[in-house]
Structures are given as C-alpha cells and as structure tokens.
Amino acid sequence: MTHPLIIALDFPEAKIALDFVKQFPQPEELFVKVGMELYYHAGPLIIRELKMLGCQIFLDLKLHDIPHTVEQAATVIGQLGVELTTIHAAGGQQMMQAAVAGINAGAAKANVAPAKLLAITQLTSTSEQMLHHELAVDATLTDSVDQLAQLAAASGVNGVISSALEVPHIKTTASTDFLCISPGIRLHSQSTDDQVRIVTPAVAQQLGSDGIVVGRPITKAANPVATYQHIKMLWEGQ
Ligand code: C5P
C-alpha cells in the first residue's frame, strides 16, 4: 500500500457500488472504502464481491464501544481480509488495544494478513467551535488531534485518520511507519458539503498524508473515471 487514493463508496446498496467500480477500465487497481451506509445494507458479501473484482478494501466502520464488544467485532472484521479498518480513538487506550487484539485474532483464525487499524482522531467535519461548544473540549483542535494520535500509537494502532492539515504536527511525534490517511479532500471549485477541514489533493501530498480518501468529488462527478484520474494525477504530483 503506497500512497493510495481511496474512493469512498458511499452508496446505499451493493449493485450501485459494484456498477460504479465496474465502469473503471482497471477495477483491480482501485482501493475502495466501504463505509457504514453500504456495509449496513450489503454486509460481508460486498467485501467478497469487491475482492473478486480485485479491489483493495478499507472497511470504515469506526468502532466505538466498550472494549469487550469492540474486541469481538474486530475479531469478525479481522477475518474478512481487508487492508484497512477504523476505530474511534475517543474510545480510549483499553478499547484500542482490544481492537488490535481482535483484528490479530480474526486474521489468525482466517489465515489472512491482519488489517491495518486506523484511529479516527477528530472527524474532518468537526470545527474548532464545535469542539469547544458542543463537545465541551477545552483543548485546541490541533492539541486534541495530537493527543488522540499519540494515544493511538501507544495502543499499538497502525495510524490515524485525520485532516491533512494536522499531518505535519502528527508526524513530528509519531514513528516513521505511523500512517496518516486523510479525508476531507476537495478540488478548489467544488463545494465542501459537510466537511470543514478540507484541502486539495496536491496540498495533502505536500503536507505528508500517506493516503487520501475521496468520496463525493468522484462519486457525484459527471465523469467519475476522468475525475478519479485527474485527482490521482494531482495527488501523485504529476
Ligand atoms: O464525500 P467525501 O469526500 O466527503 O467523503 C469522505 C469519506 O471519508 C466519507 O466516507 C467519510 O465517512 C470519511 N471520513 C471523513 N472524516 C473522517 C473519517 C472518515 O470524512 N475523519
């Protein structure tokens, strides 16, 4: 997995997601993200179907519950043989350690490579104002993201999901193999939708993101394949 451009398949059902993937000339080169919307509707079958098309998979279910429940759920996810999956760092160290143990146990049971586990620090839809006024967190957004990233690293998690804006800060304290994957990517001309901390693909690359997640700018484009190729070019700095 070197610097992937990951397409968020935020679709309501399997057929739409599979048809979307099949329009690409080389679906086997795609890295796709299956989130709650698609997974809650289509279940583990969609993972098998996307694998059959050759896609690499990021299963983004953002686990956040008591440690035992998360460990059991992570054990099931670990058996699916996906490349990446997520938990919320806000669940705390014990919960993240339980997730790591679950992923490894599931992978061993199914004889597949363990998924890399990424922790959500603060959602890219969260603003500084929301953090203080709605969530009653006194720390700045940057400090909160840093604290959660350090906690994730100390828990044995492989990396974080964070805005590219926070990547340079996270990289100053994290080990070199600690991954920073960034959603909240927009091209200049596009609307932000519900995202707040957004950057362009080129800026994400300059800030040191290890991978980017792009959903609506590609899935809602008039020509998704051309838009994907354009974003890939910008992300790869060509
Ligand atoms: O459509 P858009 O490009 O905004 O999609 C971004 C994707 O990344 C969504 O699937 C969203 O769930 C996910 N995500 C995010 N912010 C995070 C973690 C995940 O936007 N912190």
Side-chain angles (χ1 to χ4, degrees), residues 217-228:
I218 296 174
T219 57
K220 296 213 181 301
N223 185 338
V225 176
T227 307
Y228 169 79

Side-chain angles (χ1 to χ4, degrees), residues 66-233:
I66 59 170
H68 176 71
T69 303
V70 165
E71 184 165 350
Q72 299 303 107
T75 303
V76 178
I77 291 172
Q79 294 172 56
L80 295 174
V82 296
E83 275 71 25
L84 297 172
T85 193
T86 47
I87 50 168
H88 269 285
Q93 185 155 28
Q94 206 192 332
M95 190 208 80
M96 287 192 273
Q97 286 168 337
V100 173
I103 292 291
N104 289 334
K109 197 169 164 188
N111 199 20
V112 293
K116 287 199 189 315
L117 189 60
L118 304 171
I120 313 296
T121 52
Q122 293 292 347
L123 293 168
T124 40
S125 55
T126 301
S127 65
E128 190 95 41
Q129 200 209 18
M130 199 179 139
L131 190 74
H132 302 320
H133 296 133
E134 293 184 24
L135 307 181
V137 173
D138 288 336
T140 62
L141 216 137
T142 310
D143 286 349
S144 164
V145 167
D146 263 359
Q147 159 68 16
L148 292 168
Q150 282 177 31
L151 193 67
S155 309
V157 168
N158 304 100
V160 287
I161 302 285
S162 78
S163 162
L165 297 168
E166 287 115 29
V167 170
H169 226 261
I170 295 170
K171 294 272 182 187
T172 55
T173 49
S175 64
T176 48
D177 59 350
F178 193 69
L179 297 170
C180 291
I181 305 289
S182 305
I185 304 295
R186 291 295 181 269
L187 296 170
H188 281 304
S189 55
Q190 288 169 325
S191 75
T192 60
D193 301 307
D194 52 351
Q195 298 282 16
V196 175
R197 302 184 338 270
I198 57 166
V199 302
T200 64
V203 170
Q205 189 230 44
Q206 286 153 19
L207 291 171
S209 294
D210 296 296
I212 54 172
V213 177
V214 187
R216 289 161 289 184
I218 296 174
T219 57
K220 296 213 181 301
N223 185 338
V225 176
T227 307
Y228 169 79
Q229 282 159 350
H230 177 59
I231 292 178
K232 194 159 188 278
M233 212 179 62

Side-chain angles (χ1 to χ4, degrees), residues 21-94:
V21 166
K22 284 176 192 164
Q23 74 186 300
F24 285 79
Q26 289 171 302
E28 67 279 3
E29 287 188 357
L30 298 182
F31 205 129
V32 296
K33 183 171 90 71
V34 175
M36 295 180 215
E37 181 184 9
L38 182 57
Y39 193 79
Y40 288 163
H41 191 270
L45 184 60
I46 186 66
I47 304 298
R48 285 203 287 279
E49 289 174 319
L50 288 166
K51 274 168 163 277
M52 276 163 61
L53 292 174
C55 299
Q56 290 188 277
I57 299 168
F58 172 7
L59 180 58
D60 183 22
L61 298 180
K62 299 186 176 68
L63 303 185
H64 191 174
D65 208 317
I66 59 170
H68 176 71
T69 303
V70 165
E71 184 165 350
Q72 299 303 107
T75 303
V76 178
I77 291 172
Q79 294 172 56
L80 295 174
V82 296
E83 275 71 25
L84 297 172
T85 193
T86 47
I87 50 168
H88 269 285
Q93 185 155 28
Q94 206 192 332

